[in-house]
Amino acid sequence: MSVNLQSAPAAVRDSAPARREGPRKARGLSRVGALFVSPYVLFLVVVFAVPLVYTVWISFHRFYFTAPGTDVDSPWVGLSNYKDVFTDPVVGRAFLNIVIFLVINVPLTVGVSLVLATALNAKIRGRAFFRAAFYLPYVTASVALVAVWQFLFGSDGFVNHLLGSHAPDPSWLVNSHLAMPMIAVFVTWKQLGFFVMLYLASLQNVGKELYEASAMDGAGRVRQFFSVTVPGVRPATTLVVIYAIITGANLFSEPYLLTGGGGPDHASTSPVLLMYQKGIEQGHPDFAAALGVVLVAFVMVVSLAARKLTERGN
Amino acid sequence: MSDTLETRHRGGSAVRYILLSLGAVAFLFPFYYMVVGSLRGTTVGDLSAAVPAGLTGANYTAVNGAISLGRSLLNSGIMTIGVLVCTLVFGVLAGYALAQLRFRGKGAVFAALLLVQMIPFQLLTLPLYLLVVRDYGLGDNYLGMILPFAINSTAVFLFRQFFSQLPQSLFEAARIDGASELRILWQIALPMARPAVLTALLLTFIGPWNEFLWPFLVTKNADMQPLAVSLASFLSNLQGTVANPAGALLAGACVLAVPAVALFLLFQRHFTSTDIDSGVKG
């Protein structure tokens, strides 16, 4: 991808006498290109690189919130913050919660969105309507949808009225066994439309002849779905998994709002929610920074493992 | 043979419609419930709330009294428009440079662009909060609200993909005529990129408009809070102040949902599955 600018003008001069403007132009272009891209680079440095380095730095120091302008020492404390993170049982619970989230979210997303995309992948009446309907939750704010879900799944809510005596007790969002699964289902529902569209695009790349050939061999629709469609859209499935990991690592609004600040006994606490509570509410930014670094490591390990798994599937 | 194929086809399409309709109900019912619930005089969670009856706008007045909808909407608007303008101006420049110009470090910038999309953004909120609020003093400030989203990397990627597809010869000709790169971008590339620009704007819009965590951290003053934040504070601690809390909450949710939903429905045709695909392909 990178262009060797030193040799480029010479090459142009030698090979293309018709473009005598070459050397000057090429050097001029390089300046314009760098100029055009510089605001974006500045943005990446300010919003990504500096905070990333800053977190790592804080995580190795005793760090206090201070009023602007005041100078307070931040002594080096080595791995002390990390020790605190690893010995805190709530941290373990928060990471377990991401695992619960992934175990529910990934199969549900892959299964339902692939079935819906397959059903949508034909010239049928109302196609535009269905696509819009599926996409609606994806474009709508979490906060707005959380409000409706609280109302639907509250102890005196619509769903419990439907279920009558079968309603869970305590109710969905305040039940320590159901709080995290509810978050996983909510997020799956909210983002499903995006993955339906992703699979729909991916289905265009599955050769029609594969379906014809398997039909000739007497495969039914269900058989075709499992032996042609599912392997055909594997790259999209890998993306679903990676997205789910990133979403799980980013969870904040749902545990904070849907299950009232992390559910009963931290049953739906997420690492980012914990970073907020420890770092900003309780004033331990150094603990929160170390937790952030651990979370990045967790995301990398899980993503790598997931990639290994999907590649083995190939 | 043709007979069995036809029956199978008809059976398949019935299954298709049943599946799609079930999906549509699951996706649309909460929205329907939200609208109907927001219009009822007393909103309780029972089955009757799903039936529109005794409709009133009182809940909208109530939530407006509790969190000042107009002011919140204005804050959401300023934050979102700030992000859109920055993404459009700087994102198009960066996308064009990455697609059509040669410069030192281009490969590194593109690699960073792809990498950034993989970093869980929320992880950076704590150090960003320390920097923006404590060091730069941008708490309760529009600039502070906009900064982390100022240039949307997915949009830059979309612009780059689109500008790469335009024929090179077009740009060569303009360059030989002595047009500046800015002029080529403005007069040749951009007019052709309208579908990409629309998609990118729509994708960019829903980010800051729906965002909760960052403005929640940056704005403590209720007058500066965007609607998602003021609605969330209504959800967690202001519900007791109105007569029909559930109805008022749903009314606020409707107001927050409508702009994004309306824009999406309006530009739906431009928002095709292939765009989404190229947006995530990396």
Side-chain angles (χ1 to χ4, degrees), chain B residues 63-75:
Chain B
V63 75
N64 185 34
I67 61 173
S68 166
L69 282 181
R71 181 72 207 186
S72 304
L73 276 173
L74 180 72
N75 293 335

Side-chain angles (χ1 to χ4, degrees), chain B residues 18-231:
Chain B
I18 291 167
L19 283 174
L20 290 175
S21 307
L22 280 176
V25 169
F27 283 103
L28 292 179
F29 182 73
F31 285 89
Y32 168 79
Y33 204 52
M34 173 167 89
V35 174
V36 172
S38 79
L39 291 170
R40 287 179 63 102
T42 43
T43 312
V44 282
D46 65 8
L47 307 180
S48 73
V51 186
L55 301 184
T56 163
N59 294 318
Y60 289 84
T61 324
V63 75
N64 185 34
I67 61 173
S68 166
L69 282 181
R71 181 72 207 186
S72 304
L73 276 173
L74 180 72
N75 293 335
S76 292
I78 291 174
M79 179 179 167
T80 306
I81 287 169
V83 171
L84 286 178
V85 168
C86 288
T87 293
L88 201 58
V89 173
F90 302 123
V92 162
L93 284 174
Y96 178 73
L98 286 171
Q100 293 287 347
L101 301 176
R102 299 191 296 181
F103 57 93
R104 203 183 297 248
K106 178 170 161 173
V109 175
F110 191 62
L113 165 76
L114 298 179
L115 195 71
V116 157
Q117 288 172 301
M118 294 297 295
I119 297 179
F121 173 75
Q122 318 280 53
L123 295 181
L124 301 174
T125 43
L126 185 92
L128 262 176
Y129 170 76
L130 290 170
L131 288 168
V132 171
V133 176
R134 310 259 159 178
D135 294 353
Y136 309 153
L138 291 176
D140 282 322
N141 181 304
Y142 291 120
L143 212 61
M145 287 155 72
I146 293 167
L147 183 70
F149 311 101
I151 307 177
N152 183 321
S153 288
T154 308
V156 176
F157 185 77
L158 273 178
F159 291 140
R160 183 216 171 249
Q161 296 303 83
F162 194 86
F163 290 137
S164 314
Q165 288 162 14
L166 298 179
Q168 191 71 41
S169 54
L170 220 77
F171 299 102
E172 299 280 307
R175 272 170 209 147
I176 287 166
D177 288 347
S180 72
E181 288 301 329
L182 208 56
R183 196 165 154 200
I184 296 174
L185 171 56
W186 182 249
Q187 294 193 330
I188 301 175
L190 211 51
M192 282 192 288
R194 271 181 59 195
V197 170
L198 269 175
T199 307
L201 284 185
L202 214 61
L203 271 174
T204 310
F205 180 89
I206 60 174
W209 185 268
N210 296 345
E211 174 67 20
F212 169 64
L213 176 56
W214 180 252
F216 168 71
L217 292 179
V218 174
T219 57
K220 289 294 158 240
N221 182 348
D223 278 346
M224 287 301 290
Q225 290 175 343
L227 186 54
V229 178
S230 30
L231 193 63

Side-chain angles (χ1 to χ4, degrees), chain A residues 5 25 29-30 40 43 55 65 118-119 124-125 135 139 141 150-151 157-158 189 243 250 252 295-296, chain B residues 16-17 20 26 33 43 45 102-104 113 122-124 127 130 147 151 153 175 181 210 213 235 271 280:
Chain A
L5 289 159
K25 268 275 154 86
L29 282 183
S30 80
Y40 181 58
F43 169 78
T55 322
F65 279 138
T118 308
I124 51 164
R125 219 176 298 161
Y135 217 74
V139 298
Q150 271 210 335
F151 192 50
F158 186 86
W189 174 77
Y243 255 76
N250 270 319
F252 174 81
L295 183 53
V296 172
Chain B
R16 231 181 252 283
Y17 276 110
L20 290 175
Y33 204 52
T43 312
R102 299 191 296 181
F103 57 93
R104 203 183 297 248
L113 165 76
Q122 318 280 53
L123 295 181
L124 301 174
L130 290 170
L147 183 70
I151 307 177
S153 288
R175 272 170 209 147
E181 288 301 329
N210 296 345
L213 176 56
L235 178 81
F271 205 54
V280 273

Side-chain angles (χ1 to χ4, degrees), chain A:
Chain A
M1 200 69 215
S2 76
V3 178
N4 189 336
L5 289 159
Q6 268 74 42
S7 65
V12 171
R13 196 182 301 132
D14 291 345
S15 63
R19 288 195 192 152
R20 223 163 293 156
E21 295 263 300
R24 197 183 54 80
K25 268 275 154 86
R27 222 172 297 135
L29 282 183
S30 80
R31 247 178 266 130
V32 175
L35 194 70
F36 278 13
V37 95
S38 56
Y40 181 58
V41 170
L42 188 71
F43 169 78
L44 292 181
V45 169
V46 171
V47 173
F48 289 92
V50 171
L52 211 58
V53 174
Y54 195 33
T55 322
V56 176
W57 187 88
I58 294 173
S59 75
F60 287 105
H61 292 77
R62 179 73 53 236
F63 192 92
Y64 305 95
F65 279 138
T66 52
T70 43
D71 233 358
V72 173
D73 267 356
S74 305
W76 166 271
V77 291
L79 292 171
S80 160
N81 292 320
Y82 289 92
K83 214 184 114 202
D84 292 347
V85 166
F86 280 109
T87 50
D88 191 329
V90 182
V91 171
R93 179 69 220 197
F95 279 94
L96 175 67
N97 285 336
I98 303 189
V99 174
I100 297 175
F101 172 84
L102 291 176
V103 166
I104 297 173
N105 176 271
V106 171
L108 207 57
T109 304
V110 170
V112 180
S113 55
L114 192 48
V115 166
L116 287 179
T118 308
L120 204 51
N121 191 29
K123 281 205 169 89
I124 51 164
R125 219 176 298 161
R127 196 162 181 256
F129 163 77
F130 288 120
R131 278 177 39 157
F134 298 165
Y135 217 74
L136 223 46
Y138 182 71
V139 298
T140 308
S142 260
V143 176
L145 297 176
V146 158
V148 189
W149 273 59
Q150 271 210 335
F151 192 50
L152 280 170
F153 288 91
S155 39
D156 198 30
F158 186 86
V159 174
N160 282 355
H161 276 280
L162 271 186
L163 293 175
S165 58
H166 299 288
D169 179 42
S171 189
W172 306 92
L173 301 169
V174 289
N175 184 314
S176 59
H177 299 292
L178 293 174
M180 197 59 212
M182 278 306 289
I183 287 176
V185 171
F186 172 81
V187 173
T188 307
W189 174 77
K190 180 170 182 351
Q191 298 190 330
L192 207 66
F194 177 80
F195 295 109
V196 172
M197 295 303 146
L198 192 69
Y199 274 126
L200 201 54
S202 188
L203 284 172
Q204 313 291 316
N205 302 330
V206 183
K208 288 223 168 16
E209 64 281 355
L210 282 176
Y211 287 103
E212 279 157 19
S214 63
M216 287 293 195
D217 292 344
R221 274 174 192 280
V222 175
R223 182 74 200 275
Q224 278 187 345
F225 179 79
F226 283 106
S227 51
V228 180
T229 308
V230 173
V233 296
R234 183 159 278 146
T237 305
T238 308
L239 265 177
V240 173
V241 176
I242 291 172
Y243 255 76
I245 296 167
I246 295 176
T247 310
N250 270 319
L251 276 182
F252 174 81
S253 327
E254 293 79 9
Y256 183 77
L257 294 171
L258 192 62
T259 58
D265 296 326
H266 305 285
S268 63
T269 293
S270 68
V272 174
L273 177 64
L274 207 54
M275 280 171 74
Y276 164 74
Q277 289 169 333
K278 290 275 187 183
I280 291 167
E281 281 187 344
Q282 298 165 24
H284 298 296
D286 39 11
F287 180 97
L291 178 56
V293 174
V294 173
L295 183 53
V296 172
F298 175 85
V299 169
M300 284 184 346
V301 169
V302 176
S303 307
L304 237 98
R307 243 181 69 183
K308 276 262 160 60
L309 267 173
T310 43
E311 268 165 21
R312 182 149 33 115
N314 264 332

